[in-house]
Amino acid sequence: MEKFLNRFKSPEDIQNYLSKMPYNPENYTRSAAQVWIHQKAHCAEGAFFAAIALEKLGHKPQFLHFRSHRDDDHVVAIFKEKTGFGAIGKSNTTLLTWRDPYFKSLSELAMSYFPFYFNTKGQMSLFEWAAPIALSKFEKRWNWRNGTDDIGDMTAAFYEIKGKRIMTTKQIEKLKPAPKRLTEACFLGANKSGLYKT
């Protein structure tokens, strides 16, 4: 895989590669190397692969962790360039992936996802986020780079990092649902077996 990673010359190259990869609906989380071998990924797996590819470009392997209500949590790999913070992501939706590196802070980056974070009923669901989550903190417990075991427990451990609350779950339940056309666009081409059951 090391030689393969040399093909990526920019974060955009990594995102384009992940975007073409089939979404993995399995309740199983593979390491970055296993993603390359199996050629499919869900959000955590895609973020692990993006992190190792970004590291090859000189970036620290770091995540932004989204915490949701009535929906799946989500993670993206983050990076910083002279212009600001950006993100690479794999998602079963069309709107929770790439962000250009133009955000002045991690807060701005995280909130750029808020209007597009809703479940299949259009119910708004993002209430908290945490970043930066340094993957180096978890390397003694999980081999996210080259391991062959399920590392799903690693993403659960991200809750060890204190999050920044956007609103309470009661407050988010009172928000108006996303427009129907936006919801339809968000889930266009989604793997239905991998969607949160509302």
Side-chain angles (χ1 to χ4, degrees), residues 71-138:
D71 205 350
D72 290 317
D73 287 354
H74 186 50
V75 290
V76 294
I78 56 177
F79 61 96
K80 187 178 182 181
E81 297 189 339
K82 292 181 180 179
T83 51
F85 290 97
I88 298 173
K90 179 67 180 176
S91 176
N92 201 15
T93 77
T94 60
L95 304 174
L96 299 181
T97 58
W98 171 261
R99 292 294 186 273
D100 285 303
Y102 300 139
F103 296 92
K104 295 180 181 179
S105 67
L106 288 173
S107 179
E108 283 189 7
L109 174 63
M111 290 305 295
S112 75
Y113 287 85
F114 182 83
F116 312 109
Y117 208 121
F118 43 79
N119 61 29
T120 54
K121 291 183 178 179
Q123 297 169 324
M124 306 305 294
S125 51
L126 177 59
F127 73 92
E128 187 175 274
W129 60 273
I133 295 179
L135 299 191
S136 58
K137 179 178 180 179
F138 302 91

Side-chain angles (χ1 to χ4, degrees), residues 68-72 117-125 177 183 187 192-198:
S68 64
H69 174 57
R70 305 176 298 191
D71 205 350
D72 290 317
Y117 208 121
F118 43 79
N119 61 29
T120 54
K121 291 183 178 179
Q123 297 169 324
M124 306 305 294
S125 51
T183 305
F187 296 105
K192 293 183 179 180
S193 63
L195 292 174
Y196 180 83
K197 303 299 187 293
T198 54

Side-chain angles (χ1 to χ4, degrees), residues 118 121-124 172-180 183:
F118 43 79
K121 291 183 178 179
Q123 297 169 324
M124 306 305 294
I172 205 167
E173 286 178 355
K174 294 179 181 179
L175 295 180
K176 293 181 179 179
K180 183 178 179 181
T183 305

